[in-house]
């Protein structure tokens, strides 16, 4: 895979809402073999309060099954690191999980509507602000 992005909760929410930019980003990622990294905590946070009727849930799952997506779970050591980031930077767990992945994959920007939150965790994290 060449290049890619990390999606935070705000990007997941926009994808679930069918935001044209995010839909196009997924199609482009699939066609150009780019990775889209999704932390499970960001996935859950992005869908909180979202109407997940059976049809909508199927649409979201179908989108996330695209070959470009790589889902990142928290194992024990990652959970400890994410908790440390959240505590030190005073950010939520989903943001800390995104930061943890971004710090482990330098050069991959995070798609977000809230770059300042990620920069609280580490100012060197690359971000691309969503329209």
């Amino acid at each position: 895979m060449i290049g890619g992005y990390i999606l935070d909760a705000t990007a997941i929410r926009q994808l679930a809402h069918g935001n044209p930019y995010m839909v196009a980003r997924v199609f482009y990622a699939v066609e150009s073999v780019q990775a889209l990294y999704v932390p499970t905590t960001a996935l859950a946070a992005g869908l909180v309060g979202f109407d997940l009727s059976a049809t909508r849930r199927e649409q979201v799952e179908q989108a996330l099954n695209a070959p470009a997506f790589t889902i990142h779970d928290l194992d024990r050591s990652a959970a400890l690191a994410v908790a440390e980031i959240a505590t030190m930077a005073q950010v939520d767990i989903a943001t800390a999980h995104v930061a943890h992945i971004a710090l482990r994959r330098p050069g991959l920007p995070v798609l977000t509507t809230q770059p300042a939150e990620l920069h609280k965790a580490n100012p060197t994290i690359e971000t691309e602000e969503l329209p």
Side-chain angles (χ1 to χ4, degrees):
M1 291 198 174
I2 302 169
Y5 292 91
I6 301 164
L7 279 62
D8 78 346
T10 65
I12 293 297
R13 185 171 252 344
Q14 287 198 14
L15 178 61
H17 277 292
N19 174 291
Y21 177 85
M22 283 305 301
V23 171
R25 173 60 58 203
V26 171
F27 280 116
Y28 182 78
V30 170
E31 289 181 4
S32 63
V33 194
Q34 282 187 339
L36 297 173
Y37 296 95
V38 179
T40 52
T41 55
L43 175 60
L47 297 176
V48 166
F50 189 76
D51 173 24
L52 283 177
S53 62
T55 303
R56 191 52 138 164
R57 182 183 178 107
E58 184 178 329
Q59 291 171 337
V60 170
E61 285 182 11
Q62 194 172 39
L64 292 171
N65 282 329
F69 284 101
T70 300
I71 307 297
H72 279 269
D73 293 324
L74 279 177
D75 61 18
R76 188 178 320 167
S77 65
L80 293 171
V82 167
E84 184 177 358
I85 291 169
T87 300
M88 304 233 358
Q90 297 184 343
V91 296
D92 61 47
I93 291 293
T95 300
H97 193 182
V98 169
H100 175 68
I101 293 169
L103 293 169
R104 294 184 61 167
R105 297 187 179 277
L108 288 182
V110 176
L111 292 175
T112 184
T113 62
Q114 300 174 338
E117 277 301 295
L118 282 162
H119 292 146
K120 284 169 54 177
N122 189 305
T124 66
I125 293 173
E126 272 187 68
T127 60
E128 183 176 308
E129 193 162 357
L130 292 169

